[in-house]
Structure formats: structure tokens, C-alpha cells
PDB file of all heavy atoms in Angstrom:
ATOM      1  N   PHE A1076      -4.130   6.344  -5.622  1.00 94.00           N
ATOM      2  CA  PHE A1076      -5.237   6.861  -4.818  1.00 94.00           C
ATOM      3  C   PHE A1076      -6.583   6.363  -5.350  1.00 94.00           C
ATOM      4  O   PHE A1076      -7.521   6.160  -4.586  1.00 94.00           O
ATOM      5  CB  PHE A1076      -5.217   8.398  -4.777  1.00 94.00           C
ATOM      6  CG  PHE A1076      -5.590   9.051  -6.080  1.00 94.00           C
ATOM      7  CD1 PHE A1076      -6.898   9.441  -6.323  1.00 94.00           C
ATOM      8  CD2 PHE A1076      -4.630   9.270  -7.058  1.00 94.00           C
ATOM      9  CE1 PHE A1076      -7.239  10.045  -7.523  1.00 94.00           C
ATOM     10  CE2 PHE A1076      -4.964   9.876  -8.254  1.00 94.00           C
ATOM     11  CZ  PHE A1076      -6.268  10.257  -8.494  1.00 94.00           C
ATOM     12  N   PHE A1077      -6.644   6.172  -6.663  1.00 93.00           N
ATOM     13  CA  PHE A1077      -7.903   5.696  -7.246  1.00 93.00           C
ATOM     14  C   PHE A1077      -8.208   4.276  -6.763  1.00 93.00           C
ATOM     15  O   PHE A1077      -9.311   3.987  -6.296  1.00 93.00           O
ATOM     16  CB  PHE A1077      -7.857   5.748  -8.770  1.00 93.00           C
ATOM     17  CG  PHE A1077      -9.056   5.120  -9.401  1.00 93.00           C
ATOM     18  CD1 PHE A1077     -10.281   5.756  -9.351  1.00 93.00           C
ATOM     19  CD2 PHE A1077      -8.977   3.872  -9.984  1.00 93.00           C
ATOM     20  CE1 PHE A1077     -11.409   5.164  -9.888  1.00 93.00           C
ATOM     21  CE2 PHE A1077     -10.095   3.279 -10.527  1.00 93.00           C
ATOM     22  CZ  PHE A1077     -11.315   3.923 -10.479  1.00 93.00           C
ATOM     23  N   ALA A1078      -7.224   3.378  -6.875  1.00 94.00           N
ATOM     24  CA  ALA A1078      -7.417   1.995  -6.415  1.00 94.00           C
ATOM     25  C   ALA A1078      -7.675   1.961  -4.919  1.00 94.00           C
ATOM     26  O   ALA A1078      -8.522   1.203  -4.441  1.00 94.00           O
ATOM     27  CB  ALA A1078      -6.203   1.144  -6.777  1.00 94.00           C
ATOM     28  N   LEU A1079      -6.962   2.788  -4.175  1.00 96.00           N
ATOM     29  CA  LEU A1079      -7.117   2.801  -2.723  1.00 96.00           C
ATOM     30  C   LEU A1079      -8.480   3.335  -2.304  1.00 96.00           C
ATOM     31  O   LEU A1079      -9.124   2.787  -1.406  1.00 96.00           O
ATOM     32  CB  LEU A1079      -5.996   3.633  -2.101  1.00 96.00           C
ATOM     33  CG  LEU A1079      -5.918   3.646  -0.589  1.00 96.00           C
ATOM     34  CD1 LEU A1079      -5.900   2.244  -0.007  1.00 96.00           C
ATOM     35  CD2 LEU A1079      -4.689   4.420  -0.152  1.00 96.00           C
ATOM     36  N   SER A1080      -8.942   4.386  -2.956  1.00 97.00           N
ATOM     37  CA  SER A1080     -10.268   4.932  -2.614  1.00 97.00           C
ATOM     38  C   SER A1080     -11.368   3.945  -2.993  1.00 97.00           C
ATOM     39  O   SER A1080     -12.346   3.778  -2.263  1.00 97.00           O
ATOM     40  CB  SER A1080     -10.493   6.280  -3.290  1.00 97.00           C
ATOM     41  OG  SER A1080     -10.489   6.150  -4.696  1.00 97.00           O
ATOM     42  N   LEU A1081     -11.192   3.271  -4.119  1.00 96.00           N
ATOM     43  CA  LEU A1081     -12.155   2.246  -4.527  1.00 96.00           C
ATOM     44  C   LEU A1081     -12.170   1.111  -3.513  1.00 96.00           C
ATOM     45  O   LEU A1081     -13.233   0.609  -3.140  1.00 96.00           O
ATOM     46  CB  LEU A1081     -11.805   1.737  -5.923  1.00 96.00           C
ATOM     47  CG  LEU A1081     -12.797   0.803  -6.604  1.00 96.00           C
ATOM     48  CD1 LEU A1081     -14.166   1.457  -6.750  1.00 96.00           C
ATOM     49  CD2 LEU A1081     -12.262   0.397  -7.979  1.00 96.00           C
ATOM     50  N   ASN A1082     -11.004   0.719  -3.044  1.00 96.00           N
ATOM     51  CA  ASN A1082     -10.888  -0.313  -2.027  1.00 96.00           C
ATOM     52  C   ASN A1082     -11.635   0.110  -0.760  1.00 96.00           C
ATOM     53  O   ASN A1082     -12.418  -0.654  -0.201  1.00 96.00           O
ATOM     54  CB  ASN A1082      -9.405  -0.566  -1.720  1.00 96.00           C
ATOM     55  CG  ASN A1082      -9.143  -1.857  -0.989  1.00 96.00           C
ATOM     56  OD1 ASN A1082      -9.937  -2.295  -0.176  1.00 96.00           O
ATOM     57  ND2 ASN A1082      -8.009  -2.449  -1.271  1.00 96.00           N
ATOM     58  N   GLY A1083     -11.415   1.337  -0.325  1.00 97.00           N
ATOM     59  CA  GLY A1083     -12.099   1.842   0.863  1.00 97.00           C
ATOM     60  C   GLY A1083     -13.603   1.898   0.690  1.00 97.00           C
ATOM     61  O   GLY A1083     -14.358   1.515   1.585  1.00 97.00           O
ATOM     62  N   ALA A1084     -14.059   2.351  -0.474  1.00 97.00           N
ATOM     63  CA  ALA A1084     -15.495   2.473  -0.741  1.00 97.00           C
ATOM     64  C   ALA A1084     -16.168   1.101  -0.838  1.00 97.00           C
ATOM     65  O   ALA A1084     -17.299   0.926  -0.399  1.00 97.00           O
ATOM     66  CB  ALA A1084     -15.729   3.266  -2.018  1.00 97.00           C
ATOM     67  N   LEU A1085     -15.468   0.133  -1.412  1.00 95.00           N
ATOM     68  CA  LEU A1085     -16.051  -1.199  -1.609  1.00 95.00           C
ATOM     69  C   LEU A1085     -15.914  -2.125  -0.406  1.00 95.00           C
ATOM     70  O   LEU A1085     -16.836  -2.874  -0.082  1.00 95.00           O
ATOM     71  CB  LEU A1085     -15.401  -1.886  -2.819  1.00 95.00           C
ATOM     72  CG  LEU A1085     -15.756  -1.368  -4.196  1.00 95.00           C
ATOM     73  CD1 LEU A1085     -14.851  -2.006  -5.240  1.00 95.00           C
ATOM     74  CD2 LEU A1085     -17.214  -1.653  -4.510  1.00 95.00           C
ATOM     75  N   LEU A1086     -14.744  -2.088   0.238  1.00 96.00           N
ATOM     76  CA  LEU A1086     -14.420  -3.123   1.222  1.00 96.00           C
ATOM     77  C   LEU A1086     -14.294  -2.619   2.653  1.00 96.00           C
ATOM     78  O   LEU A1086     -14.155  -3.411   3.578  1.00 96.00           O
ATOM     79  CB  LEU A1086     -13.130  -3.842   0.807  1.00 96.00           C
ATOM     80  CG  LEU A1086     -13.170  -4.488  -0.582  1.00 96.00           C
ATOM     81  CD1 LEU A1086     -11.812  -5.072  -0.940  1.00 96.00           C
ATOM     82  CD2 LEU A1086     -14.253  -5.544  -0.660  1.00 96.00           C
ATOM     83  N   GLY A1087     -14.327  -1.324   2.848  1.00 96.00           N
ATOM     84  CA  GLY A1087     -14.293  -0.785   4.197  1.00 96.00           C
ATOM     85  C   GLY A1087     -12.904  -0.441   4.691  1.00 96.00           C
ATOM     86  O   GLY A1087     -11.896  -0.740   4.054  1.00 96.00           O
ATOM     87  N   PRO A1088     -12.868   0.189   5.876  1.00 97.00           N
ATOM     88  CA  PRO A1088     -11.610   0.735   6.386  1.00 97.00           C
ATOM     89  C   PRO A1088     -10.538  -0.312   6.705  1.00 97.00           C
ATOM     90  O   PRO A1088      -9.365  -0.122   6.363  1.00 97.00           O
ATOM     91  CB  PRO A1088     -12.012   1.494   7.642  1.00 97.00           C
ATOM     92  CG  PRO A1088     -13.454   1.305   7.844  1.00 97.00           C
ATOM     93  CD  PRO A1088     -14.007   0.541   6.700  1.00 97.00           C
ATOM     94  N   VAL A1089     -10.892  -1.384   7.349  1.00 97.00           N
ATOM     95  CA  VAL A1089      -9.887  -2.365   7.774  1.00 97.00           C
ATOM     96  C   VAL A1089      -9.247  -3.043   6.565  1.00 97.00           C
ATOM     97  O   VAL A1089      -8.013  -3.108   6.445  1.00 97.00           O
ATOM     98  CB  VAL A1089     -10.491  -3.408   8.744  1.00 97.00           C
ATOM     99  CG1 VAL A1089      -9.493  -4.506   9.057  1.00 97.00           C
ATOM    100  CG2 VAL A1089     -10.965  -2.725  10.022  1.00 97.00           C
ATOM    101  N   THR A1090     -10.078  -3.514   5.645  1.00 96.00           N
ATOM    102  CA  THR A1090      -9.556  -4.184   4.452  1.00 96.00           C
ATOM    103  C   THR A1090      -8.739  -3.214   3.601  1.00 96.00           C
ATOM    104  O   THR A1090      -7.667  -3.561   3.110  1.00 96.00           O
ATOM    105  CB  THR A1090     -10.695  -4.802   3.623  1.00 96.00           C
ATOM    106  OG1 THR A1090     -11.415  -5.712   4.462  1.00 96.00           O
ATOM    107  CG2 THR A1090     -10.165  -5.536   2.412  1.00 96.00           C
ATOM    108  N   ALA A1091      -9.223  -1.994   3.446  1.00 97.00           N
ATOM    109  CA  ALA A1091      -8.485  -1.002   2.654  1.00 97.00           C
ATOM    110  C   ALA A1091      -7.153  -0.665   3.313  1.00 97.00           C
ATOM    111  O   ALA A1091      -6.136  -0.524   2.639  1.00 97.00           O
ATOM    112  CB  ALA A1091      -9.323   0.252   2.454  1.00 97.00           C
ATOM    113  N   GLY A1092      -7.145  -0.533   4.624  1.00 98.00           N
ATOM    114  CA  GLY A1092      -5.903  -0.235   5.337  1.00 98.00           C
ATOM    115  C   GLY A1092      -4.885  -1.355   5.190  1.00 98.00           C
ATOM    116  O   GLY A1092      -3.720  -1.113   4.859  1.00 98.00           O
ATOM    117  N   LEU A1093      -5.323  -2.583   5.420  1.00 97.00           N
ATOM    118  CA  LEU A1093      -4.417  -3.728   5.285  1.00 97.00           C
ATOM    119  C   LEU A1093      -3.960  -3.905   3.844  1.00 97.00           C
ATOM    120  O   LEU A1093      -2.786  -4.180   3.584  1.00 97.00           O
ATOM    121  CB  LEU A1093      -5.089  -5.001   5.801  1.00 97.00           C
ATOM    122  CG  LEU A1093      -5.339  -5.047   7.310  1.00 97.00           C
ATOM    123  CD1 LEU A1093      -6.174  -6.272   7.680  1.00 97.00           C
ATOM    124  CD2 LEU A1093      -4.036  -5.018   8.095  1.00 97.00           C
ATOM    125  N   SER A1094      -4.884  -3.742   2.905  1.00 97.00           N
ATOM    126  CA  SER A1094      -4.541  -3.876   1.481  1.00 97.00           C
ATOM    127  C   SER A1094      -3.493  -2.858   1.075  1.00 97.00           C
ATOM    128  O   SER A1094      -2.563  -3.167   0.318  1.00 97.00           O
ATOM    129  CB  SER A1094      -5.784  -3.682   0.608  1.00 97.00           C
ATOM    130  OG  SER A1094      -6.719  -4.695   0.828  1.00 97.00           O
ATOM    131  N   SER A1095      -3.633  -1.647   1.567  1.00 97.00           N
ATOM    132  CA  SER A1095      -2.687  -0.608   1.212  1.00 97.00           C
ATOM    133  C   SER A1095      -1.296  -0.904   1.766  1.00 97.00           C
ATOM    134  O   SER A1095      -0.284  -0.632   1.117  1.00 97.00           O
ATOM    135  CB  SER A1095      -3.184   0.751   1.712  1.00 97.00           C
ATOM    136  OG  SER A1095      -2.357   1.765   1.223  1.00 97.00           O
ATOM    137  N   MET A1096      -1.244  -1.477   2.952  1.00 98.00           N
ATOM    138  CA  MET A1096       0.050  -1.851   3.529  1.00 98.00           C
ATOM    139  C   MET A1096       0.700  -2.966   2.708  1.00 98.00           C
ATOM    140  O   MET A1096       1.902  -2.916   2.417  1.00 98.00           O
ATOM    141  CB  MET A1096      -0.125  -2.259   4.986  1.00 98.00           C
ATOM    142  CG  MET A1096      -0.547  -1.102   5.879  1.00 98.00           C
ATOM    143  SD  MET A1096      -0.921  -1.587   7.562  1.00 98.00           S
ATOM    144  CE  MET A1096       0.743  -1.682   8.213  1.00 98.00           C
ATOM    145  N   VAL A1097      -0.105  -3.944   2.318  1.00 98.00           N
ATOM    146  CA  VAL A1097       0.411  -5.037   1.483  1.00 98.00           C
ATOM    147  C   VAL A1097       0.888  -4.486   0.143  1.00 98.00           C
ATOM    148  O   VAL A1097       1.966  -4.851  -0.344  1.00 98.00           O
ATOM    149  CB  VAL A1097      -0.670  -6.129   1.287  1.00 98.00           C
ATOM    150  CG1 VAL A1097      -0.266  -7.137   0.224  1.00 98.00           C
ATOM    151  CG2 VAL A1097      -0.957  -6.835   2.615  1.00 98.00           C
ATOM    152  N   ALA A1098       0.107  -3.592  -0.458  1.00 96.00           N
ATOM    153  CA  ALA A1098       0.491  -2.995  -1.750  1.00 96.00           C
ATOM    154  C   ALA A1098       1.796  -2.220  -1.619  1.00 96.00           C
ATOM    155  O   ALA A1098       2.646  -2.271  -2.517  1.00 96.00           O
ATOM    156  CB  ALA A1098      -0.624  -2.090  -2.271  1.00 96.00           C
ATOM    157  N   ASP A1099       1.968  -1.515  -0.518  1.00 95.00           N
ATOM    158  CA  ASP A1099       3.193  -0.746  -0.317  1.00 95.00           C
ATOM    159  C   ASP A1099       4.405  -1.680  -0.246  1.00 95.00           C
ATOM    160  O   ASP A1099       5.438  -1.417  -0.877  1.00 95.00           O
ATOM    161  CB  ASP A1099       3.097   0.079   0.969  1.00 95.00           C
ATOM    162  CG  ASP A1099       4.317   0.950   1.179  1.00 95.00           C
ATOM    163  OD1 ASP A1099       4.449   1.948   0.432  1.00 95.00           O
ATOM    164  OD2 ASP A1099       5.136   0.634   2.060  1.00 95.00           O
ATOM    165  N   ILE A1100       4.281  -2.755   0.476  1.00 96.00           N
ATOM    166  CA  ILE A1100       5.399  -3.706   0.618  1.00 96.00           C
ATOM    167  C   ILE A1100       5.691  -4.401  -0.709  1.00 96.00           C
ATOM    168  O   ILE A1100       6.843  -4.481  -1.142  1.00 96.00           O
ATOM    169  CB  ILE A1100       5.102  -4.723   1.739  1.00 96.00           C
ATOM    170  CG1 ILE A1100       5.081  -3.999   3.094  1.00 96.00           C
ATOM    171  CG2 ILE A1100       6.127  -5.856   1.728  1.00 96.00           C
ATOM    172  CD1 ILE A1100       4.503  -4.809   4.232  1.00 96.00           C
ATOM    173  N   ILE A1101       4.655  -4.881  -1.381  1.00 96.00           N
ATOM    174  CA  ILE A1101       4.854  -5.545  -2.681  1.00 96.00           C
ATOM    175  C   ILE A1101       5.454  -4.569  -3.689  1.00 96.00           C
ATOM    176  O   ILE A1101       6.387  -4.902  -4.422  1.00 96.00           O
ATOM    177  CB  ILE A1101       3.529  -6.132  -3.220  1.00 96.00           C
ATOM    178  CG1 ILE A1101       3.083  -7.310  -2.352  1.00 96.00           C
ATOM    179  CG2 ILE A1101       3.672  -6.562  -4.683  1.00 96.00           C
ATOM    180  CD1 ILE A1101       1.689  -7.820  -2.661  1.00 96.00           C
ATOM    181  N   GLY A1102       4.937  -3.354  -3.711  1.00 92.00           N
ATOM    182  CA  GLY A1102       5.454  -2.339  -4.624  1.00 92.00           C
ATOM    183  C   GLY A1102       6.921  -2.057  -4.383  1.00 92.00           C
ATOM    184  O   GLY A1102       7.708  -1.937  -5.322  1.00 92.00           O
ATOM    185  N   TYR A1103       7.297  -1.968  -3.118  1.00 93.00           N
ATOM    186  CA  TYR A1103       8.706  -1.725  -2.816  1.00 93.00           C
ATOM    187  C   TYR A1103       9.564  -2.910  -3.265  1.00 93.00           C
ATOM    188  O   TYR A1103      10.652  -2.715  -3.811  1.00 93.00           O
ATOM    189  CB  TYR A1103       8.929  -1.468  -1.319  1.00 93.00           C
ATOM    190  CG  TYR A1103      10.387  -1.236  -1.036  1.00 93.00           C
ATOM    191  CD1 TYR A1103      10.962   0.002  -1.298  1.00 93.00           C
ATOM    192  CD2 TYR A1103      11.204  -2.260  -0.571  1.00 93.00           C
ATOM    193  CE1 TYR A1103      12.316   0.218  -1.104  1.00 93.00           C
ATOM    194  CE2 TYR A1103      12.553  -2.058  -0.376  1.00 93.00           C
ATOM    195  CZ  TYR A1103      13.105  -0.826  -0.632  1.00 93.00           C
ATOM    196  OH  TYR A1103      14.445  -0.614  -0.454  1.00 93.00           O
ATOM    197  N   LEU A1104       9.086  -4.126  -3.033  1.00 94.00           N
ATOM    198  CA  LEU A1104       9.863  -5.307  -3.427  1.00 94.00           C
ATOM    199  C   LEU A1104      10.030  -5.379  -4.946  1.00 94.00           C
ATOM    200  O   LEU A1104      11.077  -5.800  -5.437  1.00 94.00           O
ATOM    201  CB  LEU A1104       9.199  -6.585  -2.906  1.00 94.00           C
ATOM    202  CG  LEU A1104       9.217  -6.754  -1.379  1.00 94.00           C
ATOM    203  CD1 LEU A1104       8.372  -7.953  -0.973  1.00 94.00           C
ATOM    204  CD2 LEU A1104      10.641  -6.872  -0.851  1.00 94.00           C
ATOM    205  N   LEU A1105       9.008  -4.966  -5.689  1.00 92.00           N
ATOM    206  CA  LEU A1105       9.079  -5.017  -7.151  1.00 92.00           C
ATOM    207  C   LEU A1105       9.916  -3.884  -7.744  1.00 92.00           C
ATOM    208  O   LEU A1105      10.632  -4.079  -8.727  1.00 92.00           O
ATOM    209  CB  LEU A1105       7.671  -4.972  -7.756  1.00 92.00           C
ATOM    210  CG  LEU A1105       6.810  -6.200  -7.519  1.00 92.00           C
ATOM    211  CD1 LEU A1105       5.407  -5.965  -8.043  1.00 92.00           C
ATOM    212  CD2 LEU A1105       7.434  -7.421  -8.176  1.00 92.00           C
ATOM    213  N   LYS A1106       9.800  -2.697  -7.162  1.00 87.00           N
ATOM    214  CA  LYS A1106      10.531  -1.543  -7.698  1.00 87.00           C
ATOM    215  C   LYS A1106      10.900  -0.601  -6.552  1.00 87.00           C
ATOM    216  O   LYS A1106      10.210   0.381  -6.282  1.00 87.00           O
ATOM    217  CB  LYS A1106       9.676  -0.813  -8.731  1.00 87.00           C
ATOM    218  CG  LYS A1106      10.428   0.289  -9.446  1.00 87.00           C
ATOM    219  CD  LYS A1106       9.558   0.992 -10.463  1.00 87.00           C
ATOM    220  CE  LYS A1106      10.334   2.144 -11.089  1.00 87.00           C
ATOM    221  NZ  LYS A1106       9.466   3.018 -11.834  1.00 87.00           N
ATOM    222  N   PRO A1107      12.003  -0.908  -5.890  1.00 87.00           N
ATOM    223  CA  PRO A1107      12.399  -0.062  -4.761  1.00 87.00           C
ATOM    224  C   PRO A1107      12.819   1.334  -5.218  1.00 87.00           C
ATOM    225  O   PRO A1107      13.461   1.490  -6.244  1.00 87.00           O
ATOM    226  CB  PRO A1107      13.595  -0.797  -4.144  1.00 87.00           C
ATOM    227  CG  PRO A1107      13.911  -1.934  -5.029  1.00 87.00           C
ATOM    228  CD  PRO A1107      12.888  -2.023  -6.100  1.00 87.00           C
ATOM    229  N   THR A1108      12.396   2.322  -4.465  1.00 78.00           N
ATOM    230  CA  THR A1108      12.850   3.695  -4.693  1.00 78.00           C
ATOM    231  C   THR A1108      13.338   4.206  -3.342  1.00 78.00           C
ATOM    232  O   THR A1108      12.538   4.489  -2.468  1.00 78.00           O
ATOM    233  CB  THR A1108      11.716   4.591  -5.225  1.00 78.00           C
ATOM    234  OG1 THR A1108      10.608   4.495  -4.346  1.00 78.00           O
ATOM    235  CG2 THR A1108      11.297   4.198  -6.619  1.00 78.00           C
ATOM    236  N   GLY A1109      14.632   4.290  -3.186  1.00 78.00           N
ATOM    237  CA  GLY A1109      15.198   4.691  -1.907  1.00 78.00           C
ATOM    238  C   GLY A1109      15.158   3.533  -0.925  1.00 78.00           C
ATOM    239  O   GLY A1109      14.787   2.418  -1.273  1.00 78.00           O
ATOM    240  N   PRO A1110      15.529   3.817   0.308  1.00 82.00           N
ATOM    241  CA  PRO A1110      15.551   2.761   1.316  1.00 82.00           C
ATOM    242  C   PRO A1110      14.130   2.382   1.738  1.00 82.00           C
ATOM    243  O   PRO A1110      13.229   3.222   1.713  1.00 82.00           O
ATOM    244  CB  PRO A1110      16.317   3.392   2.480  1.00 82.00           C
ATOM    245  CG  PRO A1110      16.106   4.863   2.310  1.00 82.00           C
ATOM    246  CD  PRO A1110      15.994   5.097   0.831  1.00 82.00           C
ATOM    247  N   TYR A1111      13.951   1.104   2.129  1.00 90.00           N
ATOM    248  CA  TYR A1111      12.641   0.724   2.670  1.00 90.00           C
ATOM    249  C   TYR A1111      12.535   1.313   4.062  1.00 90.00           C
ATOM    250  O   TYR A1111      13.461   1.241   4.867  1.00 90.00           O
ATOM    251  CB  TYR A1111      12.458  -0.797   2.743  1.00 90.00           C
ATOM    252  CG  TYR A1111      11.142  -1.142   3.408  1.00 90.00           C
ATOM    253  CD1 TYR A1111       9.951  -0.980   2.713  1.00 90.00           C
ATOM    254  CD2 TYR A1111      11.089  -1.540   4.734  1.00 90.00           C
ATOM    255  CE1 TYR A1111       8.728  -1.227   3.327  1.00 90.00           C
ATOM    256  CE2 TYR A1111       9.882  -1.795   5.355  1.00 90.00           C
ATOM    257  CZ  TYR A1111       8.701  -1.637   4.646  1.00 90.00           C
ATOM    258  OH  TYR A1111       7.504  -1.874   5.249  1.00 90.00           O
ATOM    259  N   PHE A1112      11.385   1.898   4.343  1.00 94.00           N
ATOM    260  CA  PHE A1112      11.139   2.449   5.668  1.00 94.00           C
ATOM    261  C   PHE A1112       9.708   2.091   6.058  1.00 94.00           C
ATOM    262  O   PHE A1112       8.763   2.473   5.357  1.00 94.00           O
ATOM    263  CB  PHE A1112      11.333   3.972   5.644  1.00 94.00           C
ATOM    264  CG  PHE A1112      11.245   4.607   6.992  1.00 94.00           C
ATOM    265  CD1 PHE A1112      12.267   4.452   7.922  1.00 94.00           C
ATOM    266  CD2 PHE A1112      10.143   5.358   7.344  1.00 94.00           C
ATOM    267  CE1 PHE A1112      12.190   5.035   9.179  1.00 94.00           C
ATOM    268  CE2 PHE A1112      10.049   5.954   8.587  1.00 94.00           C
ATOM    269  CZ  PHE A1112      11.082   5.800   9.516  1.00 94.00           C
ATOM    270  N   PRO A1113       9.531   1.344   7.147  1.00 97.00           N
ATOM    271  CA  PRO A1113       8.184   0.890   7.519  1.00 97.00           C
ATOM    272  C   PRO A1113       7.208   2.018   7.826  1.00 97.00           C
ATOM    273  O   PRO A1113       5.990   1.819   7.783  1.00 97.00           O
ATOM    274  CB  PRO A1113       8.415  -0.002   8.734  1.00 97.00           C
ATOM    275  CG  PRO A1113       9.792   0.273   9.196  1.00 97.00           C
ATOM    276  CD  PRO A1113      10.556   0.857   8.055  1.00 97.00           C
ATOM    277  N   GLY A1114       7.711   3.197   8.121  1.00 97.00           N
ATOM    278  CA  GLY A1114       6.819   4.325   8.384  1.00 97.00           C
ATOM    279  C   GLY A1114       5.909   4.628   7.208  1.00 97.00           C
ATOM    280  O   GLY A1114       4.720   4.930   7.378  1.00 97.00           O
ATOM    281  N   PHE A1115       6.455   4.512   5.995  1.00 95.00           N
ATOM    282  CA  PHE A1115       5.627   4.771   4.811  1.00 95.00           C
ATOM    283  C   PHE A1115       4.542   3.713   4.656  1.00 95.00           C
ATOM    284  O   PHE A1115       3.450   4.000   4.174  1.00 95.00           O
ATOM    285  CB  PHE A1115       6.497   4.850   3.551  1.00 95.00           C
ATOM    286  CG  PHE A1115       7.427   6.024   3.545  1.00 95.00           C
ATOM    287  CD1 PHE A1115       8.795   5.834   3.490  1.00 95.00           C
ATOM    288  CD2 PHE A1115       6.946   7.322   3.625  1.00 95.00           C
ATOM    289  CE1 PHE A1115       9.667   6.909   3.488  1.00 95.00           C
ATOM    290  CE2 PHE A1115       7.803   8.412   3.627  1.00 95.00           C
ATOM    291  CZ  PHE A1115       9.170   8.205   3.570  1.00 95.00           C
ATOM    292  N   THR A1116       4.834   2.500   5.077  1.00 97.00           N
ATOM    293  CA  THR A1116       3.827   1.436   5.049  1.00 97.00           C
ATOM    294  C   THR A1116       2.714   1.754   6.041  1.00 97.00           C
ATOM    295  O   THR A1116       1.528   1.544   5.750  1.00 97.00           O
ATOM    296  CB  THR A1116       4.479   0.075   5.368  1.00 97.00           C
ATOM    297  OG1 THR A1116       5.533  -0.160   4.428  1.00 97.00           O
ATOM    298  CG2 THR A1116       3.471  -1.056   5.292  1.00 97.00           C
TER     299      THR A1116
END
């Protein structure tokens, strides 16, 4: 939440939203916990 809020404060809603989706996908690929579900992205 800290990195995400900083992203939103610095780069705005669109960049923060897209960045968070990319982070979610990369995070899952690096360390999956449970099944991948695009809803969480």
C-alpha cells in the first residue's frame, strides 16, 4: 500500500492503476499464492 499510494501521489490515477496491475501479475509469477485469478488484478 505504501508503494501504491506513493505511485498514486506521484504519477496519478492511470499510471498508478496500470502499475498496480503489472505489479500484481509480476508478483504472482514470482511467488504464486493460490490460483491466479484476474479479478484480483
Side-chain angles (χ1 to χ4, degrees):
F1076 71 94
F1077 173 72
L1079 186 52
S1080 63
L1081 188 59
N1082 196 326
L1085 288 171
L1086 302 175
V1089 174
T1090 303
L1093 292 173
S1094 295
S1095 187
M1096 293 174 80
V1097 169
D1099 183 72
I1100 293 167
I1101 291 171
Y1103 179 79
L1104 292 172
L1105 291 174
K1106 187 180 176 193
T1108 54
Y1111 175 75
F1112 186 73
F1115 294 119
T1116 303

